[in-house]
Amino acid sequence: MTVMDTMTKAQAESRDRMAELMKPMAPPGFDLKAVMDSTADVDALLPEESDPNGWFGRRMP
Protein backbone atom coordinates (compact mmCIF):
# COMPACT_ATOMS: atom_id res chain seq x y z
CA MET A 1 0.00 0.00 0.00
CA THR A 2 1.29 3.45 -0.84
CA VAL A 3 1.32 6.39 1.51
CA MET A 4 -1.56 8.01 -0.39
CA ASP A 5 -3.65 4.83 -0.19
CA THR A 6 -3.06 4.68 3.55
CA MET A 7 -4.01 8.34 4.00
CA THR A 8 -7.16 7.94 1.89
CA LYS A 9 -8.24 4.91 3.91
CA ALA A 10 -7.55 6.69 7.20
CA GLN A 11 -9.58 9.74 6.11
CA ALA A 12 -12.55 7.55 5.14
CA GLU A 13 -12.40 5.69 8.44
CA SER A 14 -12.19 8.99 10.32
CA ARG A 15 -15.28 10.36 8.50
CA ASP A 16 -17.19 7.14 9.23
CA ARG A 17 -16.28 7.29 12.91
CA MET A 18 -17.16 10.97 13.22
CA ALA A 19 -20.53 10.38 11.52
CA GLU A 20 -21.23 7.55 13.96
CA LEU A 21 -20.31 9.69 16.98
CA MET A 22 -22.40 12.66 15.79
CA LYS A 23 -25.44 10.60 14.75
CA PRO A 24 -27.26 10.93 18.11
CA MET A 25 -27.05 14.74 17.84
CA ALA A 26 -28.23 14.99 14.22
CA PRO A 27 -31.85 15.43 13.16
CA PRO A 28 -33.71 12.23 12.26
CA GLY A 29 -32.92 11.12 8.72
CA PHE A 30 -29.92 13.45 8.40
CA ASP A 31 -27.10 11.61 6.62
CA LEU A 32 -23.91 12.99 8.16
CA LYS A 33 -21.71 10.61 6.19
CA ALA A 34 -23.13 11.88 2.90
CA VAL A 35 -22.52 15.47 3.99
CA MET A 36 -18.92 14.68 4.96
CA ASP A 37 -18.34 12.75 1.73
CA SER A 38 -19.83 15.62 -0.32
CA THR A 39 -22.45 13.29 -1.79
CA ALA A 40 -25.46 14.78 0.03
CA ASP A 41 -28.23 16.55 -1.84
CA VAL A 42 -27.66 19.92 -0.21
CA ASP A 43 -30.81 21.40 -1.75
CA ALA A 44 -32.87 18.76 0.05
CA LEU A 45 -31.46 19.84 3.43
CA LEU A 46 -33.38 23.13 3.47
CA PRO A 47 -37.13 23.47 3.15
CA GLU A 48 -38.24 25.55 0.16
CA GLU A 49 -39.85 28.18 2.38
CA SER A 50 -36.43 28.92 3.93
CA ASP A 51 -35.51 30.88 0.77
CA PRO A 52 -38.69 32.86 -0.09
CA ASN A 53 -36.82 35.38 -2.26
CA GLY A 54 -34.93 32.75 -4.22
CA TRP A 55 -31.51 34.10 -3.31
CA PHE A 56 -29.87 30.69 -3.11
CA GLY A 57 -31.44 29.50 -6.34
CA ARG A 58 -29.98 32.34 -8.38
CA ARG A 59 -26.98 31.70 -10.54
CA MET A 60 -24.12 34.11 -10.82
CA PRO A 61 -23.75 35.81 -14.22
Side-chain angles (χ1 to χ4, degrees):
M1 215 185 258
T2 67
V3 172
M4 290 303 292
D5 292 335
T6 303
M7 287 176 54
T8 301
K9 182 180 177 190
Q11 288 171 338
E13 290 173 359
S14 175
R15 283 191 301 270
D16 290 347
R17 180 73 176 131
M18 185 179 295
E20 188 65 31
L21 291 170
M22 299 291 292
K23 189 175 184 175
M25 294 175 263
F30 190 80
D31 188 355
L32 286 167
K33 189 169 184 287
V35 172
M36 288 185 227
D37 290 342
S38 301
T39 59
D41 180 7
V42 180
D43 292 330
L45 296 177
L46 297 174
E48 289 189 31
E49 64 271 6
S50 67
D51 186 23
N53 296 317
W55 290 103
F56 297 110
R58 294 183 182 173
R59 296 183 186 257
M60 298 296 288

